[in-house]
Amino acid sequence: NAGVTQTPKFQVLKTGQSMTLQCAQDMNHEYMSWYRQDPGMGLRLIHYSVGAGITDQGEVPNGYNVSRSTTEDFPLRLLSAAPSQTSVYFCASSVDRVGEETQYFGPGTRLLVL
Amino acid sequence: GQQLNQSPQSMFIQEGEDVSMNCTSSSIFNTWLWYKQDPGEGPVLLIALYKAGELTSNGRLTAQFGITRKDSFLNISASIPSDVGIYFCAGHQNTGNQFYFGTGTSLTVIP
């Protein structure tokens, strides 16, 4: 049981490049989400999904795309990287049953955009 | 989005001391979660609380779900150097799908 896995662990991009951050979970959770973490800002929600085929925007969605074709995978795409997207990105998956809500995080992807 | 006010922002304590931190909100939450994040790692779930007034322990950690549903507290007893890290609170409301996070308490334990 690997929990939530993320790849890559580190990435350097040039402005304008695109890339996909991968996230997978093996806990059969319906709810998955992407956050970015910046110094002094805490965790900010980018996009989330309540199940395969369903995605929605969070607090800071601009410049990012997501899709959810399977329960297990929830990739995050940067369409045209900008220096403002330099951050640490965390994927999370959640138990969404009332009275049992918990959220588990992956190890993170550290992204530097030059 | 919802704001969770977490305090203190940082703490410097001597090894062996007890630690207390809290999280408050202007809104009611039905779930409170506490996480610890080590440098270079993702947040790790420490304690989950689901009922107002609930008091739950995990080793030297004890967390409480405030009776008003608008706050939660985390206490660490007899701190040790490996307690160093950033502690986050998170709240969840049954009316939505999102978790809301505090900005974290950075804990430094001086041996």
Side-chain angles (χ1 to χ4, degrees):
Chain A
N1 188 332
V4 181
T5 58
Q6 289 183 241
T7 56
K9 202 166 175 64
F10 303 96
Q11 183 70 50
V12 179
L13 291 177
K14 294 181 180 178
T15 296
Q17 286 185 316
S18 62
M19 78 159 294
T20 300
L21 280 64
Q22 301 292 343
C23 175
Q25 53 96 4
D26 61 0
M27 297 175 281
N28 203 31
H29 289 166
E30 290 295 325
Y31 186 95
M32 296 184 73
S33 48
W34 276 101
Y35 296 88
R36 59 178 289 173
Q37 186 177 40
D38 302 294
M41 301 290 288
L43 288 155
R44 292 186 292 169
L45 184 64
I46 304 172
H47 285 285
Y48 66 97
S49 168
V50 299
I54 306 169
T55 63
D56 208 344
Q57 296 182 349
E59 183 185 352
V60 287
N62 292 340
Y64 307 96
N65 239 350
V66 291
S67 60
R68 185 92 180 273
S69 55
T70 67
T71 300
E72 294 77 19
D73 300 298
F74 190 41
L76 177 73
R77 296 183 191 84
L78 278 69
L79 309 171
S80 177
S84 61
Q85 293 178 305
T86 293
S87 188
V88 182
Y89 292 86
F90 290 102
C91 178
S93 79
S94 310
V95 174
D96 206 27
R97 291 184 294 275
V98 173
E100 298 179 35
E101 297 89 349
T102 53
Q103 191 166 57
Y104 300 94
F105 285 86
T109 294
R110 282 139 192 88
L111 177 66
L112 173 63
V113 182
L114 302 174
Chain B
Q2 297 276 3
Q3 284 278 340
L4 295 186
N5 301 307
Q6 193 170 342
S7 65
Q9 197 170 7
S10 61
M11 302 181 75
F12 293 82
I13 61 167
Q14 290 288 139
E15 182 176 357
E17 288 184 351
D18 296 342
V19 172
S20 184
M21 61 190 77
N22 69 76
C23 204
T24 61
S25 171
S26 57
S27 302
I28 289 173
F29 287 96
N30 297 98
T31 298
W32 284 96
L33 307 175
W34 283 94
Y35 290 87
K36 181 183 182 233
Q37 186 176 23
D38 292 326
E41 303 291 332
V44 173
L45 183 65
L46 298 173
I47 293 178
L49 302 160
Y50 299 109
K51 295 180 184 176
E54 180 181 359
L55 189 71
T56 298
S57 294
N58 178 5
R60 294 178 295 106
L61 278 62
T62 301
Q64 184 160 25
F65 193 140
I67 199 72
T68 66
R69 295 180 174 267
K70 294 183 179 181
D71 55 11
S72 180
F73 304 86
L74 177 69
N75 296 312
I76 305 172
S77 62
S79 59
I80 59 178
S82 62
D83 290 335
V84 165
I86 300 177
Y87 292 80
F88 291 97
C89 62
H92 185 272
Q93 297 170 320
N94 289 347
T95 53
N97 290 311
Q98 297 184 21
F99 290 84
Y100 299 93
F101 287 84
T103 51
T105 294
S106 175
L107 178 64
T108 301
V109 179
I110 303 166

